Amino acid sequence: MTVTGGTATAPARPRADGDVPVDISRVPAREAAERELSDPMYHENDPSLLQRGLNHLWEWLDKLFDSASGVAPGGPLGLVVIFLVVVALVAALWWRLGTPRRTPAAAGDSLFADGPRSARDHRAAAARHASADRWNEAVQERMRAVVRSLEERALLDPRPGRTADEAAAEAGRSLPSHADALRLAARAFDDVTYGGRTADEPAYRRVEELDTALERTRPTLDTASPGAPS
């Protein structure tokens, strides 16, 4: 805009042919620019979709780490120490407790999984495993022999789906002098069957000795009914 003699005049608009002014509004101009920039030649060096996603992920993790280190004692170093302590605690618990066990409801017939066999059959299978140093299988078969023998002697009612712990608890009521040994034998069975533990020869010999001792033990039966006169 120029001022001539106090009169303001607008700048002349560019003319296409010297006579008709060229007037391009904002919307068509923006659309024309977008069409031009959408040409693939302008995006040949752009990062891929995967790369952009990874960039956003690393940015988010970086912000998260910065926020956590800001509230952790000692800053970033303190956060690293806390992380290492948590990892050590998890490892210690895993080593102490072993692989999480299945619940009895999910285990099904957890004690006798291969159909009914006699106590003698289970003892023979245990002996074969022991002679080959397969102590896990030997412990399992000997514990099955213990429970099957108690069922054959009518000290336990045959019941599908009974777990080793349940059998030990029930048998311990009629054989109280062996209640602790029964519980330990059931624990050994559970450890090798569900807990990911490895048995050894002493573990097997303890179950074997329990089986032999139970064969020579007479049950303690409480025949007095509650409330009966003494």
Side-chain angles (χ1 to χ4, degrees):
M1 176 180 293
T2 60
V3 180
T4 305
T7 303
T9 60
R13 294 178 179 177
R15 297 174 181 269
D17 55 2
D19 295 323
V20 180
V22 177
D23 188 4
I24 303 177
S25 63
R26 293 183 179 180
V27 174
R30 185 176 66 247
E31 293 177 349
E34 290 175 351
R35 285 195 300 271
E36 177 66 20
L37 293 176
S38 64
D39 192 317
M41 65 176 294
Y42 292 105
H43 304 280
E44 291 178 353
N45 297 322
D46 287 356
S48 65
L49 180 62
L50 176 60
Q51 184 62 46
R52 291 197 298 271
L54 290 175
N55 290 341
H56 287 306
L57 175 62
W58 288 120
E59 290 175 4
W60 178 80
L61 289 176
D62 185 60
K63 292 178 181 177
L64 181 64
F65 182 80
D66 289 341
S67 300
S69 62
V71 298
L77 180 59
L79 186 63
V80 172
V81 172
I82 292 174
F83 174 77
L84 293 177
V85 170
V86 171
V87 170
L89 288 175
V90 171
L93 287 173
W94 188 275
W95 177 83
R96 179 66 181 84
L97 301 177
T99 305
R101 301 177 184 177
R102 295 179 296 175
T103 60
D109 190 359
S110 57
L111 191 56
F112 299 103
D114 54 353
R117 289 190 293 166
S118 67
R120 178 177 296 180
D121 292 335
H122 287 295
R123 291 187 183 109
R128 288 194 299 271
H129 288 306
S131 64
D133 294 337
R134 294 190 296 266
W135 302 115
N136 282 12
E137 293 83 354
V139 166
Q140 291 171 323
E141 288 298 325
R142 200 70 192 205
M143 184 61 192
R144 291 176 179 132
V146 167
V147 177
R148 184 66 77 201
S149 175
L150 294 174
E151 292 177 348
E152 291 171 353
R153 296 169 61 190
L155 298 179
L156 285 177
D157 294 329
R159 176 161 57 84
R162 176 187 278 126
T163 66
D165 290 329
E166 292 171 344
E170 295 172 21
R173 288 192 284 270
S174 58
L175 299 164
S177 61
H178 297 287
D180 291 340
L182 282 164
R183 186 168 56 254
L184 291 176
R187 174 64 62 84
F189 178 91
D190 288 345
D191 283 347
V192 301
T193 305
Y194 311 122
R197 301 295 181 85
T198 300
D200 52 14
E201 183 175 2
Y204 169 71
R205 296 304 175 193
R206 286 192 291 270
V207 184
E208 181 185 44
E209 292 170 3
L210 171 65
D211 186 24
T212 302
L214 291 175
E215 285 290 292
R216 298 194 298 262
T217 303
R218 299 185 61 181
T220 300
L221 300 178
D222 186 4
T223 58
S225 59
S230 57

